[in-house]
Amino acid sequence: MRRRTLLGAGATALGAGALTAAGWPVLSDYVREGRPGKVLTSRAELPPAFRTPLPVPRVLEPVSTSGTTDTYDITQLHAELEILPGLRTRAWTYGGTFPGPTIVSRSGRRTVVRHRNELDRPAVVHLHGGHTPAASDGYPTSLILPADGSYDARRVHQDMSGGSHGMSMDHGAMDLTEGTRAYTYPFDQRAATLWYHDHRMGYTGTAVWMGLAGFHLVHDDEEERLPLPRGDRDIPLMITDRSFAEDGSFQYPWLDSELRTPGVRDAYMNGVLGDVVLVNGAPWPVLETERLRYRLRFLNGSNARLYKLELDPQPEGGGGFVQIGGDGGLLEAPRRHDSLEIAPAERFDVVVDFSRYRPGTEVRLLNRFGDGSTAQVMRFDVGSGHPRDDTRVPRKLSDVPRLDPGRASVVRDFHFRGSSAGWTINGREYEPGRALARPRLGQVEVWRFTTNFHHPVHVHLDHFQVVSRNNRGIGAYDHGWKDTVDLRPAEAVEVVTRFTDYTGAFMIHCHNLEHEDMAMMGDFVTE
């Protein structure tokens, strides 16, 4: 009861004081639902929607396999891609594509991914949603230097410490390898839709915008026993927004085009929004479907944009999205939605039954938080046949053990604040090596997040369960295990978690990547 009272008081105090930010543009421009940042308008001629077939990222084959381990090689390199028809876009890629290749792993079986950096910038790889040892988690100063030897520790330090919101660090905070780094993932975790992306301090937004992101899917026996769609009808969908210069190159409002100074121009400090919606790297694509159930793994891979996804037309009777999973894998039971609100880095695993539509129906996937060119995402063209569907969505999907917040040993508060000075957690900008918390392994803890702006909050190492919003029940999209929670303006969210297996330094941060790059990160150290 005492803990509940404190949370309610904190939310009230935040609500009373959250709507001032001296020196910033009018706050309503920032807190408008679905518009956390500023649109960067493309100068290139944009193509009509629904002309490009949906690409599906290739599945990467291991270079070696043993009784316990599968090993993969990925080279990070520049590539010229045709994203807008007739134009070439120079991208930073995993293996020459955007998104990068999909890796498919098995729960309980070790995966090793060797990343070679042939870019002209340092890189870090984070497996988002992975239950991962600290050495392979992608700490933001654990860098893979370019293989050509063009970087040394002094240059790395200069690049990451400059700018109006440069973060404090010293050489001792850096862990450098030249050319190649191997990441080891034991995968002692459930089946889930994970993704990997760059995580370099001060440059995550830039690197992801330029193309460094891909899927990593984990399967297990429990999931495979269910009669869910699979194979060609199990489709990962990475939704991103981008802006393009007249020549087709990615357009981004960095402070320094030479990338020796981190950060973006002040007008984009609250996040960069593009005016082109890409799905798996294609603008407003179209997918031809049979009149069958499909499993769609939605990932919001955008830097800052929120989406409210909705099918148009809705199937008769509504409930077109049947959610079966989230960030941390299967839900206990399916949940029906007419729309999905998805913040950066969140994943929603849904089944859509296209047999509920008449043959030949063109079903648009809309973004109700968008307008103009960002109001639609892609289209599904429903076939004319009547094939037999041997799949279904069971009433019971999984056993999801509940963590009891009443048994928490520790309650911790994390205040995500924005002002004209920058983005902070508990009043401090990020500094590598400075811990905001030191949780003990196996100990149940309650973490409370409060904010004055819009922040998708991501916690590394272990998933959590949402307990409440503003001292009331959880939201429609808060069910199951999560690693990212959408924290709305002047809101307090309470989660319960328990860290296991691995000691060391891990991260809590905002997954609006411009916020993250401008210091809204913190270490926590498990002991």
Side-chain angles (χ1 to χ4, degrees), residues 134-152:
S136 293
D137 188 56
Y139 191 75
T141 60
S142 295
L143 306 178
I144 315 170
L145 301 182
D148 64 6
S150 59
Y151 267 75
D152 58 18

Side-chain angles (χ1 to χ4, degrees), residues 342-359:
I342 180 168
E346 284 189 301
R347 284 90 69 210
F348 285 94
D349 197 344
V350 305
V351 172
V352 174
D353 185 356
F354 290 104
S355 72
R356 298 176 67 189
Y357 290 99
R358 294 179 181 275

Side-chain angles (χ1 to χ4, degrees), residues 41 132 198 419:
T41 304
T132 302
D198 194 85
S419 74

Side-chain angles (χ1 to χ4, degrees), residues 233-405:
R233 287 157 51 206
D234 179 355
I235 304 174
L237 298 173
M238 180 185 294
I239 303 173
T240 60
D241 61 335
R242 294 291 186 269
S243 176
F244 293 87
E246 189 174 3
D247 63 358
S249 59
F250 284 132
Q251 191 170 240
Y252 189 75
W254 37 58
L255 282 176
D256 175 11
S257 61
E258 296 298 318
L259 299 182
R260 293 177 180 268
T261 302
V264 294
R265 300 194 298 271
D266 284 350
Y268 297 90
M269 186 176 172
N270 197 35
V272 183
L273 307 180
D275 60 355
V276 179
V277 178
L278 306 176
V279 184
N280 293 347
W284 306 288
V286 61
L287 174 67
E288 295 183 359
T289 74
E290 298 184 81
R291 298 185 67 241
L292 297 167
R293 295 182 188 89
Y294 282 70
R295 180 177 182 173
L296 306 177
R297 300 172 184 257
F298 289 120
L299 158 65
N300 183 350
S302 300
N303 282 32
R305 183 179 289 279
L306 290 88
Y307 298 86
K308 185 174 183 178
L309 303 178
E310 190 173 296
L311 297 172
D312 177 42
Q314 292 273 2
E316 186 174 349
F321 296 125
V322 180
Q323 185 187 358
I324 60 172
D327 298 344
L330 292 171
L331 303 182
E332 200 165 50
R335 302 184 61 83
R336 292 185 175 273
H337 303 282
D338 289 329
S339 59
L340 294 171
E341 295 182 19
I342 180 168
E346 284 189 301
R347 284 90 69 210
F348 285 94
D349 197 344
V350 305
V351 172
V352 174
D353 185 356
F354 290 104
S355 72
R356 298 176 67 189
Y357 290 99
R358 294 179 181 275
T361 304
E362 295 178 346
V363 183
R364 293 186 302 161
L365 182 64
L366 302 181
N367 171 27
R368 293 300 192 186
F369 284 163
D371 52 31
S373 62
T374 63
Q376 49 193 4
V377 177
M378 63 175 295
R379 195 177 75 193
F380 303 96
D381 288 357
V382 181
S384 59
H386 298 272
R388 179 178 175 273
D389 196 338
D390 59 357
T391 70
R392 61 186 177 86
V393 180
R395 293 183 180 180
K396 174 71 177 296
L397 295 168
S398 178
D399 291 312
V400 180
R402 310 283 177 163
L403 295 180
D404 182 1

Side-chain angles (χ1 to χ4, degrees), residues 215-233:
F215 282 101
H216 196 139
L217 309 182
V218 182
H219 297 304
D220 64 11
D221 293 341
E222 178 188 49
E223 176 199 54
E224 291 186 350
R225 282 194 294 266
L226 298 174
L228 299 171
R230 61 187 66 200
D232 292 342
R233 287 157 51 206

Side-chain angles (χ1 to χ4, degrees), residues 506-520:
F506 296 91
M507 306 296 301
I508 176 173
H509 61 86
C510 178
H511 221 283
N512 177 317
L513 298 184
E514 282 70 47
H515 296 184
E516 175 183 340
D517 282 347
M518 288 179 284
M520 190 169 261

